[in-house]
């Protein structure tokens, strides 16, 4: 096969023989600019170069045995004997022992594109990460399947002179559409 020269017109439609394309014609510079969808101002998706996932990964929060969920651990330790040396040792171990990050000072100079320091994992610190995870925690609770008809469920038990149980019986009382987070 012979290579086509740049001025060769190539048909691009089976229906319209006049519809052709030519090498770099129309040139990319003469095309309208690409429309990139914009995120809400102030959201984590506003900066297209911010690809960090750990700043909003609330599903794995507290699963790391080296850094357990601090609020839950503090509650557990408050219920224990405060004079116990083991409890005091656990309270000390609860504070993060790792580096506080490089405070935004890289080898190339200080950064000014992210005041939280979370965009680059090298400058991330525990306090800023916890604040970011708090802001991204889900704020919904799924409702059970019987929630909209709870008066009807209670009435059914009362008219039969039965004790009303917590919730309604049945397999899978929380439907899938109720378990999906809505924003």
């Amino acid at each position: 096969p012979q290579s086509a020269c740049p001025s060769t017109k190539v048909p691009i439609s089976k229906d319209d023989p006049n519809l052709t394309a030519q090498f770099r014609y129309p040139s990319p510079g003469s095309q309208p600019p690409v429309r990139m969808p914009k995120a809400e101002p102030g959201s984590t998706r506003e900066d297209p170069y911010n690809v960090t996932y750990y700043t909003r990964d609330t599903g794995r929060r507290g699963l790391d045995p080296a850094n357990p969920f601090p609020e839950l651990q503090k509650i557990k330790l408050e219920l224990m004997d405060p004079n116990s040396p083991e409890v005091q040792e656990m309270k000390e171990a609860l504070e993060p022992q790792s580096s506080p990050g490089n405070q935004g000072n890289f080898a190339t100079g200080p950064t000014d594109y992210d005041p939280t320091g979370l965009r680059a994992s090298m400058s991330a610190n525990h306090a800023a990460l916890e604040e970011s995870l708090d802001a991204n925690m889900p704020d919904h609770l799924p409702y059970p399947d019987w929630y909209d008809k709870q008066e009807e469920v209670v009435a059914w038990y009362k008219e039969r002179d039965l004790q009303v149980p917590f919730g309604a019986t049945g397999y899978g009382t929380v439907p899938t559409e109720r378990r999906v987070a809505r924003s």
Side-chain angles (χ1 to χ4, degrees):
Q2 189 177 15
S3 63
C5 64
S7 61
T8 303
K9 293 187 177 183
V10 179
I12 57 173
S13 171
K14 292 181 181 179
D15 303 330
D16 186 2
N18 295 329
L19 196 57
T20 59
Q22 190 174 343
F23 178 73
R24 308 280 295 174
Y25 181 83
S27 68
S30 65
Q31 298 296 311
V34 175
R35 188 191 70 78
M36 283 186 61
K38 300 233 185 260
E40 283 185 32
S43 73
T44 56
R45 305 261 185 206
E46 181 181 18
D47 182 1
Y49 302 106
N50 185 0
V51 295
T52 58
Y53 180 64
Y54 66 92
T55 59
R56 57 186 187 276
D57 185 15
T58 59
R60 293 189 189 102
R61 187 178 197 182
L63 294 180
D64 182 9
N67 187 20
F69 193 60
E71 282 75 26
L72 180 61
Q73 296 299 323
K74 287 177 186 175
I75 292 170
K76 288 179 183 178
L77 290 173
E78 290 297 321
L79 298 173
M80 296 180 181
D81 180 20
N83 299 324
S84 169
E86 291 88 12
V87 171
Q88 292 175 1
E89 186 179 315
M90 286 190 277
K91 282 184 179 181
E92 290 172 9
L94 198 55
E95 297 302 319
Q97 300 297 319
S98 65
S99 167
N102 68 1
Q103 306 299 322
N105 295 314
F106 292 94
T108 56
T111 59
D112 58 355
Y113 54 80
D114 182 23
T116 65
L118 291 175
R119 186 155 143 210
S121 58
M122 187 175 169
S123 64
N125 60 50
H126 287 286
L129 178 60
E130 290 298 322
E131 186 178 324
S132 175
L133 290 173
D134 286 342
N136 285 291
M137 285 299 285
D139 58 358
H140 73 283
L141 292 173
Y143 290 102
D145 196 20
W146 49 264
Y147 184 80
D148 295 331
K149 57 181 180 176
Q150 54 190 333
E151 289 83 14
E152 181 184 325
V153 171
V154 170
W156 186 89
Y157 281 97
K158 284 191 175 182
E159 69 188 31
R160 288 167 177 75
D161 199 27
L162 295 170
Q163 185 177 0
V164 180
F166 290 104
T169 59
Y171 175 76
T173 57
V174 180
T176 304
E177 64 271 6
R178 291 279 180 111
R179 284 183 257 148
V180 176
R182 295 179 191 87
S183 56

